[in-house]
């Protein structure tokens, strides 16, 4: 990087930050935070737990946006000021240090930009994630378990909580099916771009001839909807099946049919839950999953109609990302068009940059 490129970068980032500021409106955030603080000091604030939790969640989201904007703004102001001083004094050492820190500065502005973009009604919600292996037997089941681990590690890196709703082990290795909730600020906003087919190319550890195999797994992400969103599901619209839970659980899993599978007849959406020993709790969790999936499907339809897309084109069936491990190592997202060479790190949960690159292109 030279002086001209760095000067242009500062101009671009300053313009971006001004655009972000006009959308974010920091003064309105400050006003709203003061209103929330006044509410929290009211003696009966926690009497209504539902409303108090909702307001606390809003406060955390606003604070996150405010902190990211303030940090990015301060970083940019410091860089501009320091660069001007170093240029006047011909301080090459400081100028070179600023060049080296340019990537960090650009990333800080980008994260603030992402924070503004994640301002949809559902983006701040928790995410319900389901992973299903494609055709290919053990190989695909193992690939599904690798994706599951990737999301668990991503959630762990962010300090998000994970609740497993359904987990079915593969016959030989991996998983046949898994559904779980990731709880944290903007969990759905980030993970919504994971909807679709994920493709893996590698030398199979299950092939004695050490041949390359291609495996597929589908990932479905829905926002965990609030109880105040009214979605009516009548008994005639669904079929409920009970079965014995599989996996760990001692003698109990062999004696009671506590696992629940619900099929929505009109859309053919199937959800299942076997996490709890109580059939009633599993049914409640499965109904929550179904409502979230139906809600997200309706949002997809509305967006498709707005953009003039045929309803038949809505679905999960598009390939969004390829993970190639042999003969070379690269992960490439079809939407951003960007390739990443740090395959092991991404599969270990270092997913933020991949997600953010897609969010910026949408």
């Amino acid at each position: 990087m030279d002086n001209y490129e760095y000067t242009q970068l500062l101009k671009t980032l300053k313009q971006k930050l001004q655009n972000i500021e006009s959308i974010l409106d920091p003064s309105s955030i400050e006003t709203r935070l003061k209103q929330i603080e006044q509410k929290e000091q009211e003696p009966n604030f926690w009497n209504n737990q539902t409303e108090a939790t909702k307001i606390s969640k809003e406060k955390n989201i606003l604070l996150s946006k405010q902190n990211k904007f303030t940090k990015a703004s301060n970083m940019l102001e410091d860089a501009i000021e320091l660069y001007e001083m170093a240029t006047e004094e011909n301080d090459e050492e400081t100028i070179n240090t600023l060049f080296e820190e340019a990537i960090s500065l650009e990333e800080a502005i980008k994260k603030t930009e992402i924070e503004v973009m994640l301002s949809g009604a559902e983006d701040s919600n928790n995410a319900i994630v389901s992973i299903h292996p494609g055709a290919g037997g053990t190989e695909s089941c193992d690939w599904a378990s690798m994706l599951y681990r990737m999301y668990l590690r991503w959630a762990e890196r962010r300090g998000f909580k994970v609740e497993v709703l359904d987990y079915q082990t593969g016959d030989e290795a991996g998983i046949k099916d898994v559904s779980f909730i990731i709880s944290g600020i903007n969990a759905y906003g980030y993970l919504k771009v994971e909807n679709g087919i994920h493709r893996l190319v590698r030398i199979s550890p299950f092939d004695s001839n050490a041949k390359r195999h291609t495996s597929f797994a589908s990932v479905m992400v829905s926002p965990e909807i609030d109880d105040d969103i009214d979605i009516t599901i009548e008994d005639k619209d669904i079929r409920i099946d009970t079965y014995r839970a599989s996996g760990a659980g001692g003698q109990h899993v062999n004696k009671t049919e506590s696992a629940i599978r619900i099929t929505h007849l009109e859309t053919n959406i199937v959800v299942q839950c076997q996490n709890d020993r109580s059939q009633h709790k599993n049914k409640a969790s499965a109904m929550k999953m179904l409502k979230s999936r139906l809600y997200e499907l309706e949002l997809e339809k509305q967006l498709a109609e707005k953009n003039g897309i045929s309803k038949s084109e809505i679905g999960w069936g598009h390939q969004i990302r390829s993970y190639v491990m042999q003969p070379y190592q690269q992960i490439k997202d079809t939407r951003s068009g960007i390739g990443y060479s740090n395959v092991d790190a991404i599969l270990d949960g270092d997913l933020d940059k991949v997600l953010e690159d897609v969010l910026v292109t949408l």
Side-chain angles (χ1 to χ4, degrees), residues 35 47 51 65 183 185 199 234 239 267 290 295 339 360:
Q35 290 173 350
N47 290 351
E51 184 63 20
K65 289 182 178 181
S183 302
I185 295 174
R199 171 178 172 261
E234 297 182 12
R239 183 179 72 246
T267 61
L290 179 58
Y295 180 65
V360 169

Side-chain angles (χ1 to χ4, degrees), residues 57 83 122 124 133 151 171 175 184 206 215 226-227 230 288 304 315:
K57 182 180 176 181
Y83 181 65
E122 300 78 32
S124 63
Y151 295 126
D171 294 332
I175 53 178
F206 307 103
S215 309
D226 296 327
D227 292 333
D230 185 25
K288 177 189 283 190

